[in-house]
Amino acid sequence: METKNNKKTIRAWAFFDWANSAYNLVITSTIFPAYYVAITTTKTNGGKVQFFGKTFINTALSDYALSVAYLIIVFLLPILSSIADYKGNKKVFMQFFTAIGALACCVLYFFDANHIELGIIAFALAAIGYSGGFVFYNSYLPEIATVDMQDKVSAKGFTYGYIGSVLLQLICFVFVLKPELFGIVDKTFPARLSFLLVGIWWISFALIPFIVLPKGSPNAVSHDHNIIKGGFIELGKVWKKVKTMPLLKRYLPAFFFYSMGVQTIMLVATGFAAKELHMPTSALITTILIIQLVAIGGATLMSRLSGKYGNVRVLIAVVIIWIGVCAAAYLTKTATEFYVVAAVVGLVMGGIQSMSRSTYSKYLPENITDTASFFSFYDVTEKLAIVGGVFSFGFFEELTGSPRNSVLVLAIFFIIGLILLFSLLAAENKLKKNTELSAV
């Protein structure tokens, strides 16, 4: 096995983020949602589509597809984590999920109004490939970096992912905005070509980590259960331990509810703007790029504020802002108003994601050894929140006929999360007071 903190290995590892982050930006956040709404909305169909004989509102169908994809990952995640811990053949599974995701993106090249089923299935498979690959990507971190270097190495991966995704987005931006420069007449071709490029980009740059990274080595010393049951057994053990931790058992429900809102808004924002505000693809792409830039600054700002005021207080403030975002989104009527809301989303998006994970980490006991199992539990909680939030958004849009009403449902999730955070803050203050009294 290679020595830890090897620069070549770390750089190769970071290129995996460079490779697959293009999917997250182009497919999940920008071009696909705008294209999907455009090809499935006509004057006669009212934005409804047929999927294997059943009728759905177009955006609700894509929401359901994402929900199913993440639900599949929820069931796979414990097994995948168990494999990563016990078998040490994580690279094979990274390659498997990368192939699924990249090929699914390439298949989207053939997605048009006459092939709805093909497009939705490929869209869901791409999400599974992206999420599944990241499980093994994350599990490499303790194997390639010492504890004191893991924060820095993790940040390097994030930076590579940001640069790579924005670079491909800008390439796609050129022919989406100016198709006439390339003699493109078919209006669907620029978007479909973007999907194909994502797939090629993803699989091509993933070859760098696949060539350089070690095969992987078992992290667990021994185990007495089979690989399929292992992950679920470990999650059960974590749940029993969580119930004995006064702060963590209050934090996780709060995290679950506000994550239902945060993750859903990130996934449905572009479709909402395309459908409700009729914003062109070029404007939507610009908006998402702005959000990403602001998010980096937001994460830094939240980190500094947490050092001064504490994580829970900052999370409470951020969730209150998210509630305001929901109210503003419900009332938004113009593109200018959406830009303002998007800027605020960018400010609090990066901050709440980075702070949520660090808060969870801080609540873990210092002497804990099974950190992989605890973070698997965290990931399952987050993915379940995505399933619940995205499904609820699609369901209430179908029920009421408007995604605006679904935004109000997300506000309810944030309010529940806020109440639970206040409960957590009270418990934290009480524990701190008792500790001070015991010290006296």
Side-chain angles (χ1 to χ4, degrees):
M1 190 176 111
E2 294 187 23
T3 307
K4 290 185 179 183
N5 301 335
N6 180 284
K7 290 184 178 180
K8 180 181 178 182
T9 304
I10 290 171
R11 193 182 306 115
W13 177 81
F15 259 107
F16 188 77
D17 213 326
W18 171 293
N20 69 5
S21 288
Y23 153 82
N24 207 25
L25 185 57
V26 176
I27 305 294
T28 304
S29 302
T30 56
I31 297 178
F32 180 86
Y35 171 77
Y36 175 69
V37 169
I39 67 167
T40 56
T41 303
T42 66
K43 293 180 180 179
T44 57
N45 72 359
K48 293 186 176 181
V49 293
Q50 292 287 320
F51 185 73
F52 290 111
K54 293 185 179 295
T55 303
F56 296 89
I57 292 177
N58 52 6
T59 45
L61 176 60
S62 60
D63 291 342
Y64 293 154
L66 274 181
S67 296
V68 170
Y70 280 105
L71 189 60
I72 290 171
I73 287 297
V74 165
F75 285 109
L76 287 179
L77 196 58
I79 301 172
L80 301 182
S81 299
S82 183
I83 291 171
D85 279 343
Y86 296 137
K87 292 292 187 180
N89 55 352
K90 61 190 74 176
K91 189 195 286 190
V92 173
F93 292 92
M94 274 179 72
Q95 293 168 334
F96 174 71
F97 282 100
T98 296
I100 289 177
L103 288 173
C105 290
C106 292
V107 169
L108 285 175
Y109 174 79
F110 302 100
F111 177 38
D112 57 28
N114 297 318
H115 300 91
I116 298 298
E117 290 85 0
L118 175 70
I120 292 297
I121 291 171
F123 178 57
L125 285 174
I128 291 172
Y130 174 77
S131 300
F134 248 108
V135 173
F136 297 99
Y137 169 71
N138 291 335
S139 69
Y140 261 108
L141 187 57
E143 190 171 332
I144 65 172
T146 53
V147 174
D148 61 307
M149 286 292 291
Q150 285 176 15
D151 285 342
K152 185 177 180 180
V153 173
S154 180
K156 190 182 188 76
F158 174 83
T159 303
Y160 270 51
Y162 170 75
I163 295 172
S165 61
V166 170
L167 183 59
L168 182 60
Q169 179 73 92
L170 291 174
I171 294 171
C172 296
F173 202 28
V174 175
F175 53 80
V176 167
L177 273 182
K178 297 290 184 181
E180 63 275 7
L181 294 178
F182 306 92
I184 299 173
V185 179
D186 183 355
K187 291 182 179 180
T188 70
F189 183 74
R192 293 188 295 110
L193 179 59
S194 298
F195 307 150
L196 179 62
L197 287 179
V198 168
I200 295 172
W201 179 283
W202 191 348
I203 198 73
S204 298
F205 281 106
L207 291 175
I208 297 173
F210 292 160
I211 292 171
V212 177
L213 285 177
K215 177 185 176 183
S217 59
N219 296 329
V221 177
S222 63
H223 58 95
D224 54 5
H225 37 255
N226 70 58
I227 204 67
I228 303 299
K229 292 181 180 178
F232 294 100
I233 291 172
E234 289 302 315
L235 284 186
K237 290 179 181 178
V238 170
W239 173 237
K240 288 180 180 178
K241 291 177 183 178
V242 166
K243 289 191 290 186
T244 66
M245 301 175 186
L247 298 182
L248 196 58
K249 73 178 182 181
R250 285 178 171 83
Y251 172 66
L252 277 173
F255 167 71
F256 174 78
F257 278 102
Y258 71 66
S259 288
M260 288 177 78
V262 173
Q263 301 293 340
T264 303
I265 287 175
M266 290 166 58
L267 291 170
V268 304
T270 304
F272 176 88
K275 192 170 187 177
E276 288 293 301
L277 306 178
H278 308 292
M279 291 175 65
T281 302
S282 57
L284 293 172
I285 294 173
T286 304
T287 303
I288 297 299
L289 290 175
I290 291 172
I291 287 176
Q292 285 217 314
L293 287 171
V294 177
I296 295 174
T300 304
L301 175 63
M302 300 304 169
S303 177
R304 291 179 179 176
L305 289 174
S306 66
K308 186 175 182 179
Y309 300 104
N311 286 39
V312 181
R313 287 184 176 85
V314 175
L315 281 172
I316 287 172
V318 172
V319 170
I320 290 173
I321 294 173
W322 275 106
I323 294 171
V325 164
C326 290
Y330 179 79
L331 298 171
T332 295
K333 301 291 184 183
T334 67
T336 302
E337 292 171 346
F338 181 75
Y339 289 140
V340 174
V341 174
V344 177
V345 166
L347 183 65
V348 293
M349 180 182 70
I352 199 166
Q353 287 183 299
S354 60
M355 190 158 296
S356 293
R357 184 173 284 270
S358 64
T359 302
Y360 181 81
S361 181
K362 287 179 180 180
Y363 284 146
L364 297 179
E366 292 183 6
N367 60 347
I368 201 165
T369 56
D370 50 345
T371 54
S373 296
F374 268 87
F375 272 100
S376 177
F377 192 86
Y378 177 89
D379 288 336
V380 167
T381 303
E382 184 180 51
K383 296 299 184 292
L384 279 174
I386 295 174
V387 172
V390 174
F391 179 84
S392 297
F393 195 92
F395 177 77
F396 280 97
E397 181 184 356
E398 283 213 300
L399 190 66
T400 64
S402 172
R404 289 184 185 274
N405 299 319
S406 298
V407 172
L408 295 180
V409 176
L410 299 185
I412 293 172
F413 295 148
F414 279 118
I415 291 170
I416 295 172
L418 181 63
I419 293 170
L420 293 171
L421 282 174
F422 274 115
S423 172
L424 171 62
L425 182 62
E428 194 177 67
N429 290 335
K430 183 178 179 180
L431 187 63
K432 184 179 180 181
K433 185 177 181 181
N434 291 339
T435 303
E436 290 173 351
L437 290 173
S438 299
V440 173

